[in-house]
Amino acid sequence: MKRLIATLTLALALALPASSQATYPAQGNFGIHGFDNVFSDEDGTIATQAGSHPFAATFKLLANLDGEGGPEGRFKDLHVTVPRGFIGDPSAYPRCSTADFLSIDFEGSGVNLCPLDTTVGISGTAASTPDQWFSAPVFNLVPPPGVLLRIGFRALVPNIVVDIRLSTEPPYVPVATSANTPQISPLFANKTQLWGDPSDPAHDDVRGPCGSRLEVGLPADDLEAFEFKGTGKTCPVSPRPAPFLTLPTYCAGALTSSYETRSWEGDVDTGSVVLHDAGGNPQPFTGCGKLAFEPQVRARASSESAETGSGFEFGVSFADEGLKSIEGLAQSHAKKAVVTLPEGMTINPSVGEGLEVCTPAQIDRETLHSEPGAGCPNGSKLGTLRVNTPLLEESIEGSVFLAQQDDPRTPAPGAENPFDSLIALYLVLRNPNLGILVKLDLKVEPDPETGQLRATLDDSPQLPFSSFEFRFKEGARAPLITPPTCGTHTTEAKFYPWSDPGTPTTVTSSFEITSGVGGGPCPAGGVPPFRPHFQAGSLNNNAGSNTDFSMRLVRFDGEQNMTKFSSVLPPGVIGSLVGVDKCPDAALALAKSKTGRDEIASPSCPANSRIGRTLAGAGVGGALTYVPGQIYLAGPYKGAPLSVIAITPAVAGPFDAGTVAVRLGLTLNSKTAEVEVDGSASDPIPHILNGIILKTRELRVYVDRPSFIRNPTSCEESSVKAQLFGSFLDIPSPLDDVPVDLSTRYQAANCLNLGFKPKLALKLIGGTGRGGHPGLKATYRPRPGDANVEGLVVRLPRSAFLDQAHIRTICTRVQFAADQCPKGAQYGFIEAHTPLLEEPLTGPVWLRSSDHKLPDLVFDLHGIVDIEVAARIDSAKGGIRSTLTDLPDAPLSKVVLRMQGQRKGLIVNSRDLCLRPSRAQVRFAGQNGKVHKAGSVMAAQCAKGKRKR
């Protein structure tokens, strides 16, 4: 019978909220006043000791009354936000089931069937009439999913259920909600008291049915006059001195509590109150100096190998015995944490490939019940979280997401992430069963010079936890790289307590790196090796053909970083500058000021100055992040006559670190015409960018402009040479750079398919008589498409002698090297045309001292590049012989040499040149090994009819 009555009562109680809903008209002044929270000790004084467990917490409110003395509207919902840091322990005491709470014990206590030890307080309600109070026990109820703590009590007729949840918005404080209050009786006032130790014998006279009574004749608006009294009986329980309530651990100012209530008629009233003492003065908590604050940390990399992609585990724990001791004081909650990772443990560029970000709109869509990917994309997840608290039986799991990078073009602060930074993380903790959703913003700052990482979490919720575990993911694209050296590496953490936010506690944790890369031995002496690989060559190796040309530099994990680069192309591999624009310096400066995505959308250099592209691979392990770039031709740089600019938009996955512009000086060897990338006239290879150590592992260069690079016409085996510098201790400084000489074999093919039949026209100008000193004009013309000339020997006829008396001034080698030859040492002028340049090379012809009996004839060509060609002068078979050897393997279209005559003429006639023709003998040697011999008539300027056959 008792259970039957209980079941009927339960059905009636569940039906009550659906009873009459529209019997009272809406009121304009609906709301409450007298709202207050009071924390007291057993003697009734205000409890002020931070972190203590008060004897009781009392919550009060009065309804606004209309002109007839009745409430202005009927209460439907009431939400009360408790002071920040005030917490309860839902697991400290037994819970009463909903069925027992709603069932009336007609044969016993007359209250309900809840056990006595589930009583956690008492509530007094003035309802129905303004002078009638009803006292009833407050029970700790079994919470439904999504609720941390549920309490319930009777308000004369209806049962009131209050659910306590953690707010899902900062500052993440408990919110007590009574929803859909039955409209059976009008509410005038309520005074509810929760006990710090519900098992305390001091509550025996008001526990459970002992506190259930009706008091008539006491005005509802006199909350202070209403006291919680028993019925004269005692309702003891077994003592279990566990604290049910704990005060905040913050003493810097008075805390506030707020409310929002809504009537059945739709009116809303909101307000707040500052905690105050008995005199009405703002009441902050005191005694924060007594609170302990003893965080312990554990930090380690998931890999014990040096310079390896790694996850990272970071844990914080508190052994807070005072939180569970009724006489003790809880430790202060942590307000702020600043964690500095060990030096050398930096961001892994490999993480960028395929990584996504979480935008502000997406993090807002992270809710209690959102499916994975419905808010932050799964591709933005970098790790996991787990929090354990001594107040809850379940763990709170979470995820770590990469926030969207700041866009400097967006003026609104926090438009992309809360810190307007390159890197920020979102920590999302969630337990739908407990109704907990906490989102925290983590600021990550890489040191701009060393890359050392510092993470800051500020304004943490004032909630206790026993452990906090943070794990970055592992794998080929792990977000971090272990330090490059073996040994002990220490993580430092500074924690700032809410009890004293200005005084941090510093704790450390260390881990060991025990092996080199891939589990190999640690570097001897702590200095990594440097054994880079180098490859280079033409895509089409057909001699004399246009081709693309590529280079590839590879550095291996665990080796020193690449800092500077020089290279010498094989003889004859040369570029054509005809029709190629140059990227101006202003465009280069513009590129450096742009974001990477802006540079991709609108390249800074003119399109016609582009000569190739680059591809840079960064990171560790087998999964690198590759970033493409473009190569442009530019003007002089650091003394080099030309330069190339490698412009790389530093966009990797979601990261945009700006635009990197590296300029390399280009020179042409004046004797061999070999193209050289001059490292001394070049920018260093970038090592760090916005605090991210690039860990550049691979550099690829492709010179792919059509008809730009031309192969040699020689098929002799040669090589592409390079010198790569590495550094470890002080990478930005060149003082500890270690050079490594590199080379790769190079050889063109099919040289014999090229023809070789050049022409040389010789003309004597003036001075045709015996003893005359004619000038000389020599014009060299090759056939288009033939092999380039490697050398030639010109033997003048016996009628031409060298007049050594006219050799007055000679340029010394020292003077020539210093470009200080005396004017008198010039004996001619030369002009060389090449299909590679728009303007010819021109310059003087000097007599320069040599190791031979006679001085050398030196052609000193200048233009966009400089070329030096020396011809040996001697005598053969009674005539002057000029020999040129080892000429550059470069194409020529025409060369015109003019030697002076008369007083500066080096040639003197042994006979009258007009009596009969003179013929020179020429032997041409081609770069492809072919030889062509020809006799060349030396035309003279003879008067008409004077020349004899």
Side-chain angles (χ1 to χ4, degrees), residues 384-678:
T384 59
L385 303 166
R386 179 193 292 267
V387 173
N388 291 295
T389 170
L391 305 182
L392 300 174
E393 298 171 352
E394 299 180 30
S395 297
I396 306 166
E397 308 290 336
S399 300
V400 182
F401 298 103
L402 177 66
Q404 184 180 14
Q405 177 190 338
D406 176 60
D407 186 344
R409 299 169 299 181
T410 306
E416 288 76 32
N417 70 64
F419 310 108
D420 292 327
S421 59
L422 174 67
I423 304 172
L425 301 177
Y426 293 128
L427 312 184
V428 180
L429 290 158
R430 176 169 32 217
N431 186 315
N433 189 49
L434 298 175
I436 294 177
L437 175 68
V438 176
K439 304 176 190 178
L440 303 174
D441 305 325
L442 185 68
K443 185 177 183 180
V444 179
E445 300 172 280
D447 186 281
E449 295 184 359
T450 66
Q452 187 173 19
L453 295 171
R454 181 172 67 246
T456 302
L457 180 66
D458 200 0
D459 204 26
S460 299
Q462 294 189 45
L463 301 171
F465 62 88
S466 53
S467 66
F468 174 91
E469 298 174 8
F470 180 110
R471 285 186 175 87
F472 268 137
K473 68 178 184 180
E474 304 177 32
R477 298 198 182 277
L480 298 177
I481 299 175
T482 55
T485 58
C486 294
T488 302
H489 300 273
T490 301
T491 299
E492 179 189 85
K494 290 184 177 181
F495 293 95
Y496 298 75
W498 276 103
S499 59
D500 186 6
T503 305
T505 295
T506 302
V507 289
T508 60
S509 177
S510 300
F511 61 88
E512 298 291 325
I513 295 297
T514 59
S515 66
V517 174
C522 295
V527 178
F530 190 51
R531 297 183 291 266
H533 282 196
F534 175 62
Q535 294 174 317
S538 298
L539 181 63
N540 169 20
N541 71 337
N542 200 43
S545 297
N546 293 321
T547 182
D548 293 351
F549 193 86
S550 65
M551 288 187 180
R552 181 172 180 252
L553 288 165
V554 178
R555 177 191 70 86
F556 297 96
D557 285 336
E559 294 190 347
Q560 299 183 42
N561 291 278
M562 296 184 283
T563 61
K564 193 168 56 176
F565 171 72
S566 296
S567 179
V568 179
L569 299 188
V573 176
I574 197 165
S576 173
L577 304 183
V578 175
V580 184
D581 292 336
K582 297 182 181 64
C583 182
D585 291 351
L588 177 61
L590 175 64
K592 293 180 178 180
S593 67
K594 293 163 65 175
T595 67
R597 291 186 174 89
D598 283 346
E599 177 64 24
I600 293 173
S602 178
S604 300
C605 288
N608 196 42
S609 65
R610 180 192 177 278
I611 61 172
R613 58 189 174 89
T614 62
L615 190 65
V620 296
L624 303 183
T625 292
Y626 285 90
V627 180
Q630 303 296 327
I631 306 175
Y632 301 93
L633 184 69
Y637 188 60
K638 295 184 177 180
L642 291 171
S643 61
V644 292
I645 301 172
I647 295 182
T648 305
V651 178
F655 297 111
D656 184 346
T659 301
V660 179
V662 177
R663 197 167 183 179
L664 299 91
L666 280 183
T667 61
L668 195 73
N669 188 294
S670 61
K671 294 182 180 180
T672 65
E674 291 173 307
V675 177
E676 300 179 4
V677 177
D678 188 354

Side-chain angles (χ1 to χ4, degrees), residues 727-775:
S727 182
F728 173 67
L729 295 177
D730 190 359
I731 296 174
S733 171
L735 298 179
D736 67 339
D737 283 2
V738 177
V740 174
D741 291 325
L742 306 168
S743 68
T744 184
R745 181 180 177 276
Y746 181 90
Q747 189 171 22
N750 304 318
C751 287
L752 294 180
N753 292 340
L754 299 174
F756 184 67
K757 196 173 182 181
K759 295 180 180 180
L760 180 66
L762 299 174
K763 184 176 182 180
L764 297 173
I765 302 172
T768 58
R770 177 183 174 86
H773 292 80

Side-chain angles (χ1 to χ4, degrees), residues 30-283:
F30 167 79
I32 63 176
H33 63 283
F35 174 74
D36 201 3
N37 304 326
V38 177
F39 305 106
S40 59
D41 290 326
E42 188 170 5
D43 59 2
T45 59
I46 300 295
T48 61
Q49 173 59 55
S52 67
H53 310 290
F55 179 76
T58 305
F59 304 89
K60 311 171 187 179
L61 63 87
L62 291 169
N64 291 344
L65 303 181
D66 58 19
E68 299 179 358
E72 288 273 10
R74 298 294 173 126
F75 287 93
K76 178 179 183 289
D77 301 324
L78 177 64
H79 305 277
V80 176
T81 301
V82 302
R84 189 174 184 180
F86 174 65
I87 55 176
D89 187 349
S91 63
Y93 284 86
R95 298 182 177 101
C96 175
S97 69
T98 302
D100 286 345
F101 171 68
L102 297 176
S103 301
I104 305 300
D105 184 7
F106 291 105
E107 299 178 3
S109 66
V111 179
N112 57 27
L113 300 180
C114 287
L116 283 179
D117 59 1
T118 64
T119 308
V120 292
I122 187 169
S123 179
T125 305
S128 297
T129 63
D131 61 348
Q132 178 176 285
W133 285 83
F134 179 75
S135 298
V138 178
F139 295 102
N140 187 22
L141 306 180
V142 176
V147 175
L148 288 173
L149 174 66
R150 169 172 278 189
I151 59 175
F153 58 91
R154 275 187 77 190
L156 193 56
V157 176
N159 286 305
I160 304 298
V161 173
V162 180
D163 288 335
I164 292 89
R165 298 177 175 86
L166 192 68
S167 64
T168 57
E169 297 291 337
Y172 301 109
V173 295
V175 177
T177 299
S178 176
N180 294 318
T181 304
Q183 301 186 62
I184 297 176
S185 301
L187 176 67
F188 289 87
N190 179 267
K191 185 176 183 179
T192 298
Q193 185 180 88
L194 298 179
W195 301 327
D197 177 8
S199 69
D200 192 323
H203 306 305
D204 287 353
D205 60 340
V206 290
R207 185 181 291 110
C210 293
S212 181
R213 69 186 182 89
L214 184 66
E215 183 174 349
V216 180
L218 183 64
D221 60 352
D222 194 355
L223 287 173
E224 301 305 322
F226 173 74
E227 298 180 3
F228 293 112
K229 299 177 181 178
T231 59
K233 301 177 183 179
T234 58
C235 298
V237 294
S238 299
R240 49 181 305 164
F244 186 61
L245 306 175
T246 304
L247 294 180
T249 61
Y250 179 69
C251 297
L255 300 180
T256 62
S257 177
S258 62
Y259 70 86
E260 178 181 301
T261 185
R262 183 183 300 272
S263 73
W264 281 104
E265 294 77 19
D267 296 313
V268 177
D269 179 36
T270 60
S272 63
V273 63
V274 176
L275 300 188
H276 60 273
D277 59 17
N281 300 312
Q283 178 62 64

